[in-house]
Amino acid sequence: MNYLVHKHGQQHGPFSEAALRQKLANGEFAPMDMAWREGLPGWMPLKNVLPPEMPPLPGVPAAPVPPPLPPGQTSPQPVATLPVPTEVSLREPVASPTPHRTFSEGVSKPAWKRQRTWWPWVLGAVILCGFGLLFTIGFLVLQKVNKQVTAASSAEKPLFEDRAGHRTVWKKSSHKASGPAEDPPKEVFEKVRYPSDAGSLVAYVTPDPKDGKKHPAIVWAHGGFGGISSYFWQEASKYDDQSARAFREAGIVLMTPSWRGENDNPGRFELFFGEVNDLLAAVKHVKTLPYVDPNRVYIGGHSTGGTLTLLASTASDEFRAAFSLGGMPDGRDVLYAGEGFGNTPYDSLKERESLLRSPIRYTRFITRPTFYFEGEDNPTFAESAQKMGRRAANINVPFQAFTLPGTHFDIVHPVTSLVARKILADTGDTCNMSFTDAELRQAYDEAFSHTLGTVLTAWLTDGGDLTKALKDLDADDAEPRTTKHVKLLKQTIEKLRAAPAGPVITGQIAALTEICDSVTDSDIYDALVDEVLPAINSWAKKRLGDSATFAAASGEDPSEAAQFLQVLQYVLDYGETGKARPLVVVAARNGVGQEDYTWTSLFNTFSTDPEQMTLLVKDLKGSLPPGFAGVALLDSANQARLKDKWKGVHPFDSAAGVALLQEWLESRDTETTSYAHSAAVGLAYLSPTNRAKLLPLALAHPDEEVRLEAAWSDLKNEGTTGLDVLKKACLDVHRSSTAKRYLEELKHAADIPAAAKEPEFAAKATMSEWLQHPNELGAPPLSLEVYDKTELYWPPRQQKIPLWLFKFTYRFDSNEGEAAKEVKTSYGMVGTVTWSFFAEDAAAPTPGHLYVKHCALELEHQAEDEEDEDEDHKLDKKKWTTEEWRVEARKQLEKSNPGRSFE
């Protein structure tokens, strides 16, 4: 059975089980690398894919591993042997009586004894014959295998000649075309069609610069599968730039073709077969452009495009030079007897299919300078390319392979920039281009001169302000991307752990956790969890244990506390909650950053894990955290109980907890009213005795929201006082929506007063609730009255609905003191999407004007969200001004509501 492994964005294999175990043993792969084998529903960690190894039975030595068998042989050849007789045959004739004599007297032996004396000679002869036969068979098999290996590694005919007459039996593939190629910006590309034997295919081409000159050109084969798209002109990260922009920015004509079966092209996906013809057809097309020098046309590509470039370089001399970035040199290693890239459109067990897609077999037929580049993080391709390079050197073929220090993806940016400069300098009659390892390394280092790796290496060597150096990095440059970055991060944290504790060190650790939190690659994420997280956890434990400088709230640096809690959040987010819990408990008990809002997210992590929530409450029993940290614990416990995620004893259902709740409910400090709000919710989960003690305090609180929460808590436990409070609140327009929602939630909808359900009152309550949101007024309006009510056919909803317009007043703070607050008037609407307009009109607007404004707003949002088949029309609409949308809204309203004025 064959196995595939996905690592660093590349697929490796197929491998046999034995070969894969060897690669695991030597560290080439890790147990958490994603792998696949036939029969699995999808990719999963390697440790879960390999079958368990069976240990030898106790006392029984493990059987030696037999040597590999020749191809086609399923079991060792049997060795012919004869049985050695151990007794006289019953059919033997009886000898006549004779006098007793010794053997030395020359008396003839009985027949069976004479047979026994020459038997070893017969046996030896048979064995020798058997070995001779086996040797002959082995020699013939070996000769056949040698011929097969030779045929697989080196073709006797050029690519197209070798493919002549071959007919592929196609099968269903997972390949999917990406749809029609998008229209590019006219100043960047023209979208054209070029002829190939598959039909008319789409491509992007740099437009004529109209300077009357002949320019060099490159046909760039895109990476991946599916076709060409906007990634050729959109901004891209230098760590994975698929745009080939270096060429067009250098003034080189760039053609980026799409292949058969991609985009809206005719033909079918053939996986490195007919696509080679398409690439060469694109070369032929670009040579016909009047602004292109036909003697200076190059080809290049990345990944799958790099593979097509390699194949084309073995099959044609219609270009000046070829540049393959991360192409597949050996198709047999990747495609044969496995899933290849996961979209193989033919039977992968047909070996010839993979051989005909293997550039290394056709090395001898390369006639134009061909250069190969790959990152060291993709050793499978890099090693195959080096092998191809050695073969080319032995037969004086113009092919060179280079391995750069980066990855399969980040080499593209520096290499294409260097190649572009080389093309501009390549002006002779024939290609005079060359590369060296030194200049490639320099190009790579210059592109990534200020990255995470360089910053950490410099700091580990010379020290300095690590926090500032990390913050100066661009987001792209700061992300951990390689295993080298992981090792550097671990070394950095270990060095910081050994340093004297203090705010500076804590700030540096916090900056490093921000860096770790930016990771996007799953392999690197796993490596950070395995290698870096334990080091951070160890540092945090040591820091909390240093009571001399970081023990309690008194005297601690608030900024350091905030940074420490940031580190603690990283440990919780990326590690196991159970392992991080002791750190959270110690920090909470010691009052570290007790007023920091980070405690909310820290404790919320436990609220979704019933087991860990129970253990956290147990650990903090009798030692509840002070300040806001205590409220955060209260909120997380409330949420866990409210969502039925946890049914344990509430942490505040104790003498110490009741004392804290009482303190918050009795406080009249408006800055901590939210504490009382949380305390009122928590009453629902206390024992009846403790709840009864605190409920009167909560119901007497001056804040209406606190009283509503207390009523909810009481009614949740079947209290009649809470029911009366909520029924009364239903008739208060500013509390009605909340009160009705609570009664419905607690199965008391029948107790909602009829007056609260009246449509106009309900609409007014909805408007008030909207205005009280923190994003609006954050409080009830000073006044609220109906401005207009009607029923309209509403275009965004495409139905007739009742609508209410409301006029409201509020105080506007001009930041010039209390006296400067002025009362302002504005308007809102309920019935469809609830909305309010703040001081947008100098004079009182007409109802029609407000309906138009609201309708325009909904139409615009609707256009942004819906999937419009007419992409061009959709884009035009998105560019409409506010006034254009209002014109459209008025038109639709008047058409749908004849006789109504919307001025």
Side-chain angles (χ1 to χ4, degrees), residues 385-570:
Q386 293 296 335
K387 179 181 177 182
M388 188 171 173
R390 291 191 294 270
R391 180 176 299 181
N394 289 336
I395 56 177
N396 199 28
V397 165
F399 173 87
Q400 284 182 283
F402 299 92
T403 303
L404 281 76
T407 70
H408 178 72
F409 297 99
D410 70 15
I411 67 164
V412 179
H413 169 65
V415 170
T416 53
S417 298
L418 179 59
V419 170
R421 294 197 296 271
K422 295 277 188 179
I423 289 176
L424 293 179
D426 182 30
T427 57
D429 292 335
T430 60
C431 180
N432 58 9
M433 198 178 297
S434 64
F435 295 86
T436 66
D437 287 313
E439 66 181 341
L440 283 164
R441 179 60 189 255
Q442 182 181 354
Y444 184 87
D445 289 345
E446 287 177 354
F448 303 105
S449 59
H450 188 51
T451 64
L452 178 62
T454 59
V455 166
L456 295 181
T457 300
W459 185 83
L460 286 167
T461 305
D462 304 321
D465 190 340
L466 178 60
T467 302
K468 183 179 184 304
L470 292 174
K471 290 189 180 300
D472 286 344
L473 289 173
D474 291 336
D476 265 359
D477 291 328
E479 180 183 343
R481 296 177 182 275
T482 67
T483 53
K484 181 180 179 181
H485 289 162
V486 175
K487 291 177 182 177
L488 288 171
L489 284 165
K490 182 180 179 182
Q491 292 170 11
T492 302
I493 292 165
E494 289 174 343
K495 182 177 177 179
L496 290 171
R497 184 177 181 274
V504 173
I505 301 298
T506 302
Q508 291 173 332
I509 295 286
L512 288 170
T513 60
E514 286 186 31
I515 294 295
C516 293
D517 196 36
S518 69
V519 66
T520 57
D521 182 272
S522 60
D523 292 332
I524 301 304
Y525 173 92
D526 292 340
L528 288 172
V529 170
D530 292 340
E531 300 292 330
V532 177
L533 183 62
I536 295 176
N537 194 76
S538 179
W539 171 85
K541 183 177 180 181
K542 178 186 176 184
R543 187 71 188 96
L544 281 174
D546 191 349
S547 57
T549 60
F550 194 44
S554 57
E556 80 171 86
D557 185 337
S559 63
E560 183 186 9
Q563 290 168 336
F564 181 83
L565 293 180
Q566 176 185 328
V567 175
L568 202 55
Q569 184 71 65
Y570 176 82

Side-chain angles (χ1 to χ4, degrees), residues 709-792:
E709 296 301 343
W712 173 87
S713 292
D714 184 49
L715 183 58
K716 187 173 178 64
N717 290 277
E718 301 303 328
T720 57
T721 302
L723 177 60
D724 291 339
V725 171
L726 290 174
K727 288 169 66 175
K728 184 178 179 182
C730 285
L731 300 175
D732 179 349
V733 74
H734 299 306
R735 303 297 163 205
S736 183
S737 293
T738 301
K740 287 191 290 184
R741 186 164 57 249
Y742 284 176
L743 287 172
E744 289 168 353
E745 176 190 328
L746 298 172
K747 313 301 182 188
H748 281 269
D751 292 312
I752 298 175
K757 298 178 184 180
E758 193 272 327
E760 185 170 309
F761 181 89
K764 194 173 184 180
T766 298
M767 189 75 255
S768 176
E769 184 181 36
W770 170 268
L771 292 172
Q772 292 177 65
H773 192 277
N775 290 346
E776 300 298 309
L777 299 177
L782 298 178
S783 65
L784 182 65
E785 62 183 80
V786 176
Y787 191 60
D788 187 64
K789 59 179 178 180
T790 189
E791 188 174 68
L792 293 175

Side-chain angles (χ1 to χ4, degrees), residues 662-673:
Q662 181 173 341
E663 176 187 333
W664 293 333
L665 288 170
E666 289 178 341
S667 172
R668 295 300 179 258
D669 182 357
T670 56
E671 294 295 322
T672 59
T673 299

Side-chain angles (χ1 to χ4, degrees), residues 776-840:
E776 300 298 309
L777 299 177
L782 298 178
S783 65
L784 182 65
E785 62 183 80
V786 176
Y787 191 60
D788 187 64
K789 59 179 178 180
T790 189
E791 188 174 68
L792 293 175
Y793 183 90
W794 195 244
R797 295 271 293 272
Q798 296 186 356
Q799 65 183 69
K800 205 166 189 178
I801 55 174
L803 299 171
W804 285 268
L805 289 175
F806 290 97
K807 178 181 178 181
F808 59 90
T809 59
Y810 61 98
R811 289 197 182 277
F812 176 72
D813 186 356
S814 61
N815 295 321
E816 296 179 6
E818 191 70 25
K821 287 185 178 180
E822 58 178 306
V823 175
K824 297 182 76 71
T825 301
S826 200
Y827 304 86
M829 194 175 99
V830 173
T832 173
V833 176
T834 302
W835 195 258
S836 53
F837 302 96
F838 285 97
E840 291 187 17

Side-chain angles (χ1 to χ4, degrees), residues 160 163 168 170 173 175-179 193-203 222 224-228 256-282 308 343 345 357:
F160 290 145
R163 288 180 172 184
T168 300
W170 302 111
S173 166
H175 169 80
K176 290 184 179 179
S178 57
R193 304 202 75 90
Y194 69 99
S196 178
D197 57 16
S200 178
L201 309 180
V202 69
H222 66 78
F225 305 97
I228 56 176
T256 61
S258 176
W259 320 124
R260 61 190 65 198
E262 293 185 334
N263 294 115
D264 59 351
N265 293 336
R268 64 157 294 128
F269 169 63
E270 298 184 10
L271 186 63
F272 308 135
F273 205 81
E275 292 88 349
V276 181
N277 302 56
D278 302 337
L279 173 55
L280 294 174
L308 289 173
N343 56 6
R357 293 166 168 83

Side-chain angles (χ1 to χ4, degrees), residues 54 68 85 96-97 187 259 378 420 426 513 551 573 610 681 739 744 801 901:
M54 295 299 292
S96 58
E187 68 277 10
W259 320 124
N378 187 14
D426 182 30
T513 60
D573 289 345
V681 176
E744 289 168 353
I801 55 174
S901 174

